Amino acid sequence: MMEYIIFLSVCWGIWITATFLMDKSHPLRLKISIMSLLLCIGAGKFITIDHAEVSFSYLLLTAIGCFAIRQYPFIQLFSLCISALMTAMVFAGIKLFEMYERAWFLVDVKWYIVILVLLIQFAIYPKPRLWKNRMISVYMGFLAGEWLLFKVLSQASLPYKIGDSWFLDFFSFSMLIMVGIHELRILKSIFHVKSLPVKEKQTYE
C-alpha cells in the first residue's frame, strides 16, 4: 500500500475544494488552500528537533490546532485539554500494547483506537452543538498522543519518527470519520424536522 495515501488524498481534496469550489470572497479560502498544499509537500519530510525526527506535516498540523484553540476561553480550554489528554493516552496506550502484544488485535489497531476515542468524546460532549469541541479534542489528542508515544519509546531507546506515514494516514482516517458522523447527524436532524407534522415542526423550530 502506498505511503501517505489517505493523508495526501484528504489534503488534495481540501486543496481542490478551497481553490476551485469555495467562494472566492471567503476569508479562509487562501489560508486553507496554502495550508493543505504545504501539508502535501511536507509529507515524508522530517526535521531533527532535540534528537527527535519530526515530520514537517506533523508540526504544521500542530500549529494549525494551536491557532484554532486560541479563541476559546480558559474554562473551555481547560476542558478541551483534559479530553484531549484522555484521547492522547488512549492512542499511546493502545499503540504500545499493539507493539508488544499484536496477537490480541483481530483487526487493524486504528479501529480499536477510533471506536474507543469516539465513545469517550461523545460521553464528554454528547450534544450536537458541541461538535467543534469533539473535533478539536480528537485533533489535538491524537497529535499529543503521537508525541507521548515517542517519549515513552525514547525512554527505552527505541527509534520512532513523529508523524510518520502510518500516523498521518491514521490521523486523516480518524478525522474523516469524525466529519462523517457530524454530517450524518445533520442529515438525521433535517429528515426528523421534515417528517414532523406542521404544528410540531413549528414548535421544534
Side-chain angles (χ1 to χ4, degrees):
M1 185 176 179
M2 178 182 170
E3 290 186 338
Y4 303 100
I5 184 68
I6 302 176
F7 180 73
L8 291 175
S9 298
V10 171
C11 289
W12 277 119
I14 294 173
W15 181 80
I16 290 171
T17 301
T19 305
F20 301 107
L21 302 179
M22 283 184 70
D23 188 345
K24 292 184 178 181
S25 62
H26 196 289
L28 295 178
R29 176 176 174 268
L30 182 60
K31 293 178 181 178
I32 294 174
S33 180
I34 292 174
M35 289 298 107
S36 58
L37 190 58
L38 287 176
L39 286 170
C40 288
I41 296 172
K45 293 178 174 58
F46 291 81
I47 59 176
T48 302
I49 302 175
D50 192 23
H51 306 293
E53 288 189 77
V54 187
S55 165
F56 177 78
S57 293
Y58 174 89
L59 291 174
L60 187 55
L61 286 170
T62 304
I64 293 171
C66 292
F67 179 79
I69 65 175
R70 81 194 193 286
Q71 60 182 323
Y72 287 90
F74 177 78
I75 298 299
Q76 289 189 32
L77 192 58
F78 180 76
S79 173
L80 282 172
C81 288
I82 296 298
S83 58
L85 180 61
M86 294 173 67
T87 298
M89 294 178 69
V90 167
F91 173 84
I94 295 180
K95 277 295 291 178
L96 284 170
F97 189 70
E98 186 247 354
M99 288 178 180
Y100 291 100
E101 295 291 344
R102 188 165 297 182
W104 284 75
F105 294 86
L106 302 177
V107 296
D108 197 311
V109 66
K110 65 174 173 281
W111 288 106
Y112 294 91
I113 299 173
V114 169
I115 291 171
L116 187 52
V117 166
L118 283 174
L119 291 173
I120 292 172
Q121 291 300 324
F122 275 96
I124 298 174
Y125 301 113
K127 297 181 180 178
R129 62 183 177 85
L130 297 175
W131 70 272
K132 287 185 179 179
N133 296 48
R134 281 196 300 269
M135 291 288 290
I136 292 176
S137 177
V138 172
Y139 182 104
M140 297 302 292
F142 284 144
L143 292 172
E146 177 76 342
W147 177 84
L148 180 60
L149 181 61
F150 162 76
K151 296 298 291 183
V152 173
L153 293 176
S154 64
Q155 294 299 314
S157 300
L158 295 174
Y160 187 79
K161 290 184 177 181
I162 302 176
D164 62 2
S165 60
W166 185 92
F167 174 77
L168 291 179
D169 280 344
F170 164 78
F171 182 85
S172 305
F173 169 79
S174 304
M175 298 313 296
L176 280 176
I177 289 179
M178 293 294 295
V179 172
I181 290 174
H182 173 63
E183 294 300 323
L184 285 174
R185 287 167 71 94
I186 291 177
L187 288 175
K188 182 181 177 181
S189 64
I190 291 173
F191 286 122
H192 176 67
V193 172
K194 287 184 177 180
S195 64
L196 290 174
V198 176
K199 290 184 179 180
E200 290 186 33
K201 189 183 297 185
Q202 291 174 349
T203 304
Y204 185 85
E205 293 175 348

